[in-house]
Amino acid sequence: MALADLLRRTTLLDRVLVLALFSAALLSLLLLRPGERGELVIVEQGGRIVYRAPLEQERTLRLSGPRGETVLNIAGGHACIVSASCPHKVCMGMGEIARHGELLACVPNNLLVRIEGGKKRDGDFDLLSR
């Protein structure tokens, strides 16, 4: 009854528009699905790799940067910045990362944490090939 009433009150163009929006939302969900679980955590500072280890190896790293110390915690297959000396602490608000291609960045301390490994999806590009 409700569906028949809804169909009576909408035009063909309304239905086509709703169908197109629903299809676009479904397609974006398929294309933007999260990557595979990563295997390595790589920490770069000033463009140089300063740490590389399996993501499953639990530890806490204290990294010195131009603005002070940043503390990176790797536990339970996730990496996150738990303490930072930068003024806005945006890096701490980025949360945990665990999937291939995810990044954490502390720009004031020239720090980049990225996850690698796992299966790449077809169509994955690095930053240079986009």
Side-chain angles (χ1 to χ4, degrees):
M1 188 71 164
L3 182 62
D5 189 43
L6 180 67
L7 290 175
R8 192 170 16 120
R9 287 197 278 169
T10 57
T11 65
L12 177 64
L13 188 58
D14 292 337
R15 292 180 218 140
V16 169
L17 181 63
V18 168
L19 183 63
L21 289 173
F22 181 75
S23 298
L26 187 63
L27 184 63
S28 68
L29 284 175
L30 292 174
L31 293 175
L32 299 175
R33 69 183 190 273
E36 297 290 325
R37 184 159 185 79
E39 297 172 357
L40 285 176
V41 59
I42 297 173
V43 179
E44 294 181 32
Q45 195 162 31
R48 293 181 317 127
I49 294 176
V50 295
Y51 180 78
R52 175 189 293 238
L55 190 57
E56 299 302 324
Q57 187 177 25
E58 296 191 9
R59 74 173 22 181
T60 299
L61 299 173
R62 297 185 179 281
L63 303 156
S64 296
R67 293 285 185 131
E69 186 178 75
T70 302
V71 179
L72 175 69
N73 187 35
I74 304 166
H78 295 84
C80 69
I81 295 176
V82 293
S83 175
S85 58
C86 53
H88 301 291
K89 305 197 184 312
V90 174
C91 53
M92 291 174 60
M94 297 175 85
E96 296 179 332
I97 57 173
R99 299 195 176 274
H100 171 77
E102 289 184 321
L103 299 171
L104 292 174
C106 183
V107 176
N109 280 327
N110 295 331
L111 187 68
L112 180 68
V113 180
R114 61 188 161 100
I115 303 295
E116 287 191 353
K119 290 182 181 177
K120 285 187 173 183
R121 295 182 309 189
D122 290 340
D124 274 355
F125 299 100
D126 61 16
L127 292 174
L128 297 176
S129 61
R130 283 189 179 195

